[in-house]
Amino acid sequence: MRILRYKNKRETIVLAALADDERVYDLPHSDFMELVYASEREGKPTIQYVKDLIAGQEPIEEAFDELQLAVPIAAPEVWASGVTYEKSKDARNYEATAGKLDADTFYDKVYEAERPEIFFKSTAARTIGPGQPVYLRSDSDWQIPEPELGLVLSKSGKVLGYTAGNDMSCRDIEGENPLYLPQAKVWKHSCAIGPVILLAEAVDDPYSFDLACRIYRADEKVVEGTANTKQLKRRFDELVEFLARDNELFDGTVLLTGTCIVPPNEFTLKEGDRIEIEISSIGVLNNPVKKQESKIPTAH
């Protein structure tokens, strides 16, 4: 069972369920967390609560692929994990050593360390959903998407569901100096999540998700990569525990769990590209790429 938000014909955002038969059913709640709270009041797992709600109900007329989807949850915060896959470690080392790869770096150290890399990624205002454009940063010449599995968390750190995420990254800025990480990761429309939230109760093994990333340029596929969450170095409960350590979590927080798909080193995104991030049982997060006007202030 998957939960989504879409804009109906009255231009109203509606919460809905996407059943296993791909039919869509409107739900009588305003957002994902309200749905979770209601299921808790009923003393039911969220998946059973949703099944009871839609039992005997007619689906909407539109098919899922006809809907104007919105971000599935207005996450108050999005956090991200780095260097959780070996491929990510290798890519970060390439950036940090200008391709020399002949010495251990701090990325090697964090890959093996007890403490994982966790960083702040986005706010609700900066996070976009399916079909909306991700923006290129104006002061970077080496930018890529990072396809990641996202955990939707409660304030207690419980995993409520799973979604797909795009952690847009500037490889040149991060590679120049690790202290520039916030600027390499956080800017307007630098984070996308969606298209749905797969309820946690519907997942038998979260370490068996297949991930794929495809990038199209002028309708031609120029990048494609695949991975599986079984390749993770870290466990999800480990990442959540460190995120919650001496920290306040908010209901609906999303934690992106790192990437194992990195485009070729000579590749950078360009305006007009289109990014598809697909995760099995979740679906395809589709976003066009757009330049934004430079916000660099001029000297007086």
Side-chain angles (χ1 to χ4, degrees):
M1 186 71 69
R2 292 157 288 177
I3 307 300
L4 59 101
R5 294 166 74 230
Y6 74 96
K7 185 177 289 188
N8 65 14
K9 295 176 181 177
R10 297 186 296 276
E11 299 293 303
T12 300
I13 300 294
V14 178
L15 190 75
L18 178 61
D20 293 341
D21 61 5
E22 298 298 313
R23 293 191 292 180
V24 179
Y25 297 82
D26 286 348
L27 296 172
H29 299 289
S30 61
D31 59 44
F32 179 76
M33 287 311 308
E34 184 181 302
L35 175 71
V36 172
Y37 299 149
S39 69
E40 292 174 345
R41 289 194 297 268
E42 293 285 330
K44 298 178 181 179
T46 306
I47 190 170
Q48 186 59 54
Y49 178 73
V50 173
K51 287 180 178 178
D52 292 346
L53 281 177
I54 66 177
Q57 178 182 329
E58 289 296 317
I60 65 173
E61 294 180 359
E62 297 89 348
F64 172 70
D65 59 7
E66 297 174 331
L67 297 177
Q68 184 180 345
L69 296 176
V71 63
I73 185 170
E77 295 181 346
V78 179
W79 293 75
S81 313
V83 200
T84 55
Y85 292 86
E86 186 174 6
K87 183 69 175 289
S88 177
K89 172 179 70 73
D90 293 344
R92 301 292 85 79
N93 281 340
Y94 184 93
E95 298 158 10
T97 63
K100 296 176 183 177
L101 299 175
D102 56 358
D104 288 344
T105 70
F106 41 83
Y107 295 113
D108 293 294
K109 293 177 181 178
V110 78
Y111 185 72
E112 300 295 342
E114 176 187 359
R115 183 185 297 274
E117 179 193 12
I118 297 177
F119 56 90
F120 187 78
K121 174 63 185 180
S122 190
T123 59
R126 294 182 178 90
T127 306
I128 61 166
Q132 294 181 274
V134 290
Y135 286 164
L136 295 173
R137 190 175 173 108
S138 62
D139 57 355
S140 170
D141 296 316
W142 191 13
Q143 301 182 62
I144 62 167
E146 293 192 7
E148 309 190 14
L149 179 71
L151 313 179
V152 182
L153 305 175
S154 72
K155 62 184 179 183
S156 67
K158 178 182 178 181
V159 178
L160 304 173
Y162 301 90
T163 192
N166 180 358
D167 169 21
M168 291 281 287
S169 298
C170 300
R171 296 188 68 182
D172 49 354
I173 294 176
E174 182 177 1
E176 183 179 350
N177 191 313
L179 297 180
Y180 296 158
L181 180 66
Q183 296 174 78
K185 292 288 189 177
V186 182
W187 66 91
K188 185 177 181 180
H189 286 211
S190 64
C191 179
I193 60 173
V196 300
I197 296 171
L198 175 64
L199 292 177
E201 299 98 332
V203 178
D204 293 327
D205 181 9
Y207 300 99
S208 62
F209 284 111
D210 292 317
L211 295 88
C213 181
R214 297 175 289 270
I215 303 174
Y216 295 86
R217 181 167 294 165
D219 294 325
E220 179 183 352
K221 184 165 59 180
V222 292
V223 171
E224 182 172 25
T226 60
N228 188 283
T229 50
K230 67 184 178 185
Q231 298 167 263
L232 269 163
K233 166 78 171 181
R234 307 278 183 175
R235 306 294 288 182
F236 296 139
D237 56 353
E238 172 189 1
L239 296 173
V240 173
E241 190 275 326
F242 271 96
L243 175 61
R245 187 178 293 188
D246 294 312
N247 188 22
E248 180 180 8
L249 298 184
F250 302 100
D251 282 335
T253 293
V254 172
L255 173 60
L256 303 179
T257 56
T259 192
C260 191
I261 302 173
V262 181
N265 292 321
E266 64 274 12
F267 178 84
T268 187
L269 288 167
K270 295 183 178 180
E271 183 171 36
D273 289 353
R274 183 170 60 84
I275 304 164
E276 288 184 353
I277 293 172
E278 182 172 8
I279 301 182
S280 56
S281 301
I282 294 175
V284 179
L285 174 61
N286 192 331
N287 297 100
V289 178
K290 184 178 178 181
K291 284 184 179 179
Q292 59 175 324
E293 292 184 7
S294 174
K295 301 297 181 181
I296 301 174
T298 55
H300 294 287

